[in-house]
């Protein structure tokens, strides 16, 4: 896998995402470690902020377009752009081009960036050809599919393949694993009762699986699931980003 | 039907607090989705059939007026009368006129969602005409004081067998029966005289076939066939968007509709009804009418929402929707429920009357993935959210928050300062604990879950520090 010298396989632009920046910096550091282990030089553009998804999903397309232009300007110089989030990657891959259907110049730039943007595990497996995760972790792990990762980016096999490469990890599947955890961005705050009932089901499936840890690829799902587990008295089940799992020491 | 979608939040709370409904939802959850998944194996190439079905429906909408004219010509040539209704009220008036013209006193109905839109039963009763619902689910709802359906193809999915047992015993004055076969027989015994005595049969229409002027009806109970062939008058009531060009197209759509709906390769009955009874026909109505309703549909042609008109009413979107599966159909407050209802209700009943529906979705896109005619339901909900923003319908707090976020995120220095302040505030709230149980700024979040505490510093601060360390 890493026959190339460190950094010899070219540059990758890492889009950290605002939630990782704010909530869980270790996810970004783990992503850097994984990408470097795969032989890439990782560049983190300093002025990056947010992909604009909150505004976009709230119907504020004007501000979504402003932020999309900013992301495109900052990342279009890279051969590959990697995002440790299925939903932010999906925003770039699927929705950026949609935002500029009436603006040919920006539509072309959005399309070019979209074609080079990957969710982290997708990049590691499909582009970098990683077959062995470098980290160590022991225990049973369930992988939770995030909706955008699964249905917008096609992330399903890649994280499972890497998790299965870890010798001391036993992977278990969740029942209804393709069902939403009930996060939905602002939905979780606007309709807390519905969101809470949906995430409760997810937590029950997690408990039924007997997993010691849940690994996932999106901070939104992570905060939602971890928050509900803790609220309902489960202080034990680890909720961990897949980057942290795969890179863990 | 009167719209109650503006009370969505209260209706949701009531449904979440209804243990019986929650038990019923839990019992049926995933059942239809599993049946659908199992049945798709019977199609040689689901994606190809889906693409073809999508193209058939999309192509009709490009020339909707021409296909409707063709349908009218062909149906008229075969002895039927085609009537156009601007809205549900006009549809009711037309049907009452037909009933009066033919001296109709009782009507047997097979399932029609457009008749729910129009509130036809109430209109018929007010005109002194007795409507009898003959679909078992619809019959159960009708005898339960005209309860509205909670699902477009399984109208009574929110009820348990025990509730039906109790209802039948109470309304029919019979011994309580718990066996489904016995319950069905009891309903059948009640319905048989209604069929025999009815002057008019009213059906919906799954498809209108333009080349033959026929209506296709997909049912499982056989009541649709009785309604449309025994009485002397048959009225097919449906929406103008249901037209398709040819019988070949019908064959394609029939491969995907029952599979998407109930997981059946084909429904128990597929009726193709063409014209009035002619010499030599064994049965059929002496008079056949089509009442085709606009009801907001024509306005969608050529708009961002045109793809919604492709809908073939299979219900797969709600069968796969985490929100629908949690709150049930009645919470949505009008005829159409789940994702397709969250798009159609504001479009047909006014965006301001159903503000919550397109917002109350996680945009998980399970619905979009299973839709047999590839309607991008989450995109359409998002477009409805855009319309709400454009019309100033969102609360000022939300508008302010969105604006402030967009302003800061466009300016790295402001974003950085806000992020730092937010992390400090959250760490202070956490007070060294791993999570925050109460958060004033997002009470919705902490009403249901803790808020995990962030790390002590933002990534950008840690990363900058690390790089400075390496450089020195």
């Amino acid at each position: 896998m890493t026959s190339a010298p460190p950094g010899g396989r070219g540059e990758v632009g890492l889009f950290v995402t605002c939630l990782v920046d704010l909530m869980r910096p270790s996810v970004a550091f783990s992503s850097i470690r994984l990408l470097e282990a795969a032989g890439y030089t990782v560049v983190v553009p300093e002025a990056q902020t947010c992909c604009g998804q909150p505004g976009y999903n709230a119907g504020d397309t004007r501000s979504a377009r402003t932020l999309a232009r900013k992301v495109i300007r900052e990342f279009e110089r890279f051969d590959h752009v990697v995002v440790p989030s299925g939903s932010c990657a999906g925003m770039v891959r699927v929705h950026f081009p949609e935002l500029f259907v009436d603006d040919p110049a920006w539509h072309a730039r959005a399309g070019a960036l979209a074609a080079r943007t990957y969710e982290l595990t997708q990049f590691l497996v499909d582009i970098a050809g990683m077959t062995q995760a470098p980290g160590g972790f022991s225990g049973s792990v369930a992988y939770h599919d995030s909706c955008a990762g699964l249905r917008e980016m096609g992330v399903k096999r890649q994280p499972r393949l890497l998790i299965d490469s870890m010798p001391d990890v036993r992977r278990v599947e969740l029942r209804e694993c393709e069902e939403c955890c009930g996060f939905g961005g602002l939905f979780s705050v606007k309709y807390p009762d519905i969101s809470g009932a949906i995430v409760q089901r997810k937590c029950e499936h997690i408990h039924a699986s007997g997993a010691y840890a849940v690994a996932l690829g999106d901070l939104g799902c992570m905060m939602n699931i971890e928050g509900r587990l803790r609220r309902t008295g489960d202080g034990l089940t680890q909720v961990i980003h897949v980057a942290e799992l795969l890179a863990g020491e | 039907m009167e719209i109650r979608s503006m009370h969505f939040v209260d209706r949701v709370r009531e449904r979440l607090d209804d243990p019986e409904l929650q038990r019923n939802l839990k019992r049926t959850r995933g059942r239809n989705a599993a049946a659908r998944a199992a049945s798709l194996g019977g199609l040689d190439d689901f994606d190809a059939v889906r693409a073809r079905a999508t193209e058939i429906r999309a192509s009709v909408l490009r020339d909707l007026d021409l296909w409707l004219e063709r349908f009218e010509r062909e149906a008229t040539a075969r002895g039927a009368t085609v009537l156009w209704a601007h809205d549900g009220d006009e549809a009711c008036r037309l049907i009452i006129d037909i009933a009066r013209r033919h001296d109709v006193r009782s009507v047997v109905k097979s399932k029609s969602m457009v008749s729910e839109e129009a509130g036809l039963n109430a209109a018929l009763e007010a005109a002194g005409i007795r409507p009898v619902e003959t679909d078992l689910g619809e019959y159960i709802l009708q005898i339960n004081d005209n309860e509205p359906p909670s699902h477009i193809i399984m109208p009574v999915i929110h009820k348990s067998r025990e509730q039906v047992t109790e209802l039948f015993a109470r309304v029919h004055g019979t011994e309580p029966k718990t066996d489904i076969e016995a319950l069905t027989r009891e309903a059948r015994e009640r319905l048989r005289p209604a069929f025999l005595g009815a002057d008019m049969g009213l059906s919906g229409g799954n498809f209108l076939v333009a080349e033959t002027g026929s209506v296709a009806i997909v049912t499982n109970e056989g009541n649709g066939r009785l309604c449309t062939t025994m009485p002397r008058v048959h009225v097919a009531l449906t929406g103008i968007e249901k037209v398709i060009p040819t019988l070949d197209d019908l064959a394609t759509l029939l491969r995907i509709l029952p599979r998407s709906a109930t997981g059946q390769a084909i429904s128990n009955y597929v009726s193709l009804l063409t014209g009035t009874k002619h010499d030599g026909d064994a049965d059929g109505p002496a008079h056949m009418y089509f009442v085709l309703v606009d009801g907001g549909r024509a306005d969608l042609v050529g708009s961002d929402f045109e793809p919604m008109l492709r809908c073939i009413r299979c219900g797969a979107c709600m069968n796969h929707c985490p929100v629908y599966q949690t709150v049930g159909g009645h919470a949505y407050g009008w005829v159409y429920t789940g994702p397709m209802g969250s798009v159609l209700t504001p479009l047909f009943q006014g965006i301001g009357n159903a503000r919550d529906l397109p917002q109350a979705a996680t945009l998980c896109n399970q619905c979009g993935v299973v839709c047999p005619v590839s309607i991008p339901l989450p995109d359409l909900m998002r477009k409805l959210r855009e319309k709400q923003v454009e019309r100033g319908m969102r609360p000022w707090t939300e508008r302010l928050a969105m604006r402030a976020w967009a302003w800061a995120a466009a300016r790295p220095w402001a974003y950085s300062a806000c992020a730092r302040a937010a992390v400090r505030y959250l760490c202070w709230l956490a007070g060294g604990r791993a999570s925050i149980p109460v958060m004033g700024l997002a009470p919705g979040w902490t009403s249901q879950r803790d808020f995990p505490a962030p790390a002590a510093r933002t990534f950008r601060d840690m990363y900058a520090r690390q790089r400075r360390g390496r450089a020195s």
Side-chain angles (χ1 to χ4, degrees):
Chain A
M1 163 196 83
T2 52
S3 53
R9 300 181 74 180
E11 270 189 1
V12 163
L14 181 68
F15 185 42
V16 173
T17 80
C18 54
L19 277 179
V20 166
D21 181 41
L22 273 172
M23 298 299 303
R24 203 107 161 197
S26 57
V27 172
F29 288 113
S30 295
S31 303
I32 294 172
R33 260 204 302 286
L34 289 165
L35 291 165
E36 287 179 348
Y40 292 86
T41 301
V42 182
V43 179
V44 186
E46 277 177 30
Q48 64 172 290
T49 56
C50 164
C51 66
Q53 194 181 174
Y56 181 62
N57 283 345
D60 185 357
T61 34
R62 201 158 47 123
S63 62
R65 252 181 232 120
T66 305
L67 293 177
R69 282 195 202 95
K70 180 175 176 300
V71 174
I72 294 169
R73 274 194 297 266
E74 282 159 0
F75 283 91
E76 62 188 346
R77 69 186 175 89
F78 297 105
D79 301 336
H80 307 288
V81 175
V82 174
V83 194
S85 155
S87 80
C88 305
M91 182 69 197
V92 178
R93 171 85 68 91
V94 179
H95 302 295
F96 275 16
E98 289 171 359
L99 277 170
F100 297 108
V101 280
D102 299 324
D103 183 341
W106 278 101
H107 187 258
R109 289 171 76 177
L113 180 68
R116 298 199 300 273
T117 299
Y118 302 89
E119 184 271 345
L120 176 70
T121 60
Q122 181 179 44
F123 181 81
L124 291 172
V125 171
D126 295 349
I127 304 300
M130 185 182 267
T131 52
Q132 177 65 54
F137 188 94
S138 75
S140 55
V141 175
Y143 181 79
H144 162 72
D145 295 281
S146 87
C147 296
L150 178 69
R151 283 180 276 271
E152 288 184 342
M153 298 300 289
V155 174
K156 173 92 186 173
R157 174 184 56 86
Q158 303 91 332
R160 287 175 170 80
L161 186 143
L162 292 176
I163 293 170
D164 287 344
S165 78
M166 302 175 81
D168 299 324
V169 171
R170 189 173 64 85
R171 189 170 58 78
V172 295
E173 282 291 348
L174 296 179
R175 241 189 89 204
E176 297 178 5
C177 67
E178 297 194 351
E179 180 152 330
C180 181
C181 73
F183 171 63
L186 287 178
F187 169 84
S188 59
V189 182
K190 286 186 202 167
Y191 302 96
D193 296 347
I194 309 175
S195 176
I198 298 175
V199 68
Q200 177 58 31
R201 275 205 303 275
K202 188 60 76 180
C203 292
E204 285 162 14
H205 294 325
I206 291 169
H207 285 145
S209 78
Y212 165 74
V214 189
L216 32 66
D218 261 288
L219 258 283
C221 316
M222 191 166 170
M223 290 161 61
N224 186 35
I225 292 172
E226 183 177 342
R228 183 69 187 185
L229 287 172
R230 302 300 174 252
R231 171 61 54 91
T232 51
D234 177 347
L236 289 177
T237 307
Q238 267 199 59
V239 184
I240 178 172
H241 193 281
V242 68
E244 299 172 309
L245 174 76
L246 299 174
E249 13 281 277
Chain B
M1 180 173 160
E2 195 186 333
I3 180 166
R4 296 202 167 78
S5 305
M6 52 292 268
H7 309 303
F8 178 78
V9 172
D10 294 337
R11 295 170 72 85
V12 162
R13 193 62 260 169
E14 286 164 21
R15 265 109 203 136
L16 288 171
D17 291 339
D18 177 345
E20 191 154 36
L21 175 69
Q22 287 299 321
R23 257 200 314 279
N24 296 346
L25 286 170
K26 188 172 181 190
R27 207 188 52 247
T28 55
R29 182 173 299 136
R31 191 190 283 172
N32 290 307
R36 171 189 171 274
S39 77
L40 292 186
L43 283 178
D44 38 340
D45 184 348
F46 169 70
D47 290 334
V49 179
R50 181 178 190 239
R52 182 72 201 118
T54 303
E55 178 48 28
I56 291 167
R57 297 292 296 132
S59 73
V60 164
L61 296 171
R62 286 196 284 273
D63 297 304
L64 185 60
D65 48 348
L66 299 180
W67 288 115
L68 287 170
E69 282 172 15
R70 171 85 192 271
F71 174 80
E72 182 177 29
R73 247 190 343 267
E74 301 298 340
T76 307
R78 288 162 179 81
T81 305
V82 179
L83 302 171
W84 307 96
H86 178 67
D87 57 18
D89 287 346
E90 190 177 359
C92 292
R93 280 198 301 277
L94 289 170
I95 292 167
I96 290 167
D97 285 350
I98 296 167
R100 295 216 166 114
R101 189 174 316 142
H102 297 289
D103 199 19
V104 167
R105 276 150 308 152
S106 77
V107 177
V108 279
K109 291 180 69 195
S110 75
K111 221 166 95 49
S112 155
M113 295 313 289
V114 176
S115 99
E116 300 285 343
E117 271 183 57
L120 179 65
N121 285 3
L124 287 173
E125 278 170 19
I129 301 159
R130 188 171 79 103
V132 179
E133 296 286 355
T134 66
D135 172 272
L136 181 58
E138 293 285 352
Y139 173 75
I140 289 167
L141 295 176
Q142 189 180 29
I143 65 169
N144 193 32
D145 201 15
N146 296 307
E147 188 183 352
S150 70
H151 188 290
I152 59 169
I153 61 161
M154 286 157 275
V156 74
I157 191 167
H158 59 283
K159 279 203 193 308
S160 65
R161 185 199 315 187
E162 292 72 29
Q163 287 170 300
V164 176
T165 296
E166 185 276 327
L167 177 71
F168 274 23
R170 179 162 53 80
V171 174
H172 294 159
T174 51
E175 281 298 298
K177 301 178 178 63
T178 52
D179 180 43
I180 286 179
E181 208 173 303
L183 286 166
T184 311
R185 190 176 313 116
E186 185 167 313
R188 190 190 298 235
E189 283 161 7
R190 300 278 151 166
L191 287 171
R192 199 51 55 144
F195 281 121
L196 292 170
D199 309 301
M200 179 197 276
L202 188 130
S203 72
N206 291 92
F207 300 104
L208 302 167
V209 183
E211 70 171 352
T212 57
S214 317
V215 57
I217 297 168
V218 172
T219 69
N220 273 322
E221 296 168 16
N223 62 311
R225 191 157 288 179
L226 286 172
C227 285
T228 54
T229 51
M230 287 185 57
R232 48 198 169 82
V233 185
H234 170 209
V235 178
L237 169 66
T238 193
I240 54 170
E241 85 286 13
K242 291 294 186 69
V243 68
I244 55 171
T246 66
L247 289 171
D248 269 355
D249 296 331
L250 177 64
T252 301
L253 289 160
L254 285 177
R255 297 184 75 197
I256 210 163
L257 171 60
R259 286 185 167 93
S260 299
T262 51
Q264 292 167 286
I266 189 80
S267 51
N268 294 345
Y269 294 83
V270 175
S271 304
L272 191 64
L273 304 149
T274 311
T276 48
K277 181 178 176 182
H278 290 292
D279 293 342
D281 288 354
D283 50 26
H287 310 279
M288 183 179 194
Y289 293 87
F290 288 94
V291 176
L292 305 184
V293 183
D294 174 355
R297 289 157 173 85
D299 285 345
L300 304 183
V301 175
S303 78
D304 287 345
F305 299 100
E306 184 178 294
M308 195 60 226
L309 294 177
R310 297 203 292 259
C311 180
I312 57 172
R313 306 290 191 267
C314 69
C317 58
M318 54 200 82
N319 294 339
H320 291 78
C321 175
V323 174
Y324 177 92
Q325 302 288 318
T326 303
V327 302
H330 285 154
Y332 291 78
W334 199 53
V335 180
Y336 299 111
T337 63
M340 55 85 77
S342 295
V343 176
L344 278 181
T345 306
L347 292 176
F348 286 178
Q349 293 288 305
I351 289 180
N353 285 325
R355 292 182 204 197
D356 282 306
L357 299 192
Q359 302 281 346
T362 65
L363 305 182
C364 75
N365 198 28
Q366 281 249 64
C367 52
V369 168
V370 298
C371 176
V373 286
S374 321
I375 300 170
L377 288 153
D379 291 343
L380 299 184
M381 288 186 230
R382 202 183 283 111
K383 280 201 192 335
L384 284 163
R385 296 178 185 187
E386 278 172 37
K387 299 269 176 226
Q388 293 186 7
V389 170
E390 282 166 18
R391 297 184 192 183
M393 288 176 170
R394 300 308 304 161
W396 68 270
T397 43
E398 184 182 317
R399 278 185 289 174
L400 181 69
M402 283 295 118
R403 271 291 124 81
W405 177 250
W407 185 88
R411 292 162 184 76
W413 61 268
Y415 169 86
S416 176
C418 291
R420 219 171 274 150
V423 164
R424 225 171 274 152
Y425 168 70
L426 291 170
C427 285
W428 173 77
L429 274 182
R433 290 166 300 183
S435 58
I436 301 160
V438 182
M439 198 163 61
L441 283 177
W445 182 279
T446 48
S447 72
Q448 293 293 327
R449 60 230 120 179
D450 288 0
F451 192 87
R457 283 194 174 71
T458 63
F459 168 77
R460 58 177 57 223
D461 284 351
M462 292 168 78
Y463 189 67
R465 182 174 294 202
Q466 198 187 62
R467 306 233 321 166
R468 274 200 305 276
R470 268 191 210 157
S472 59

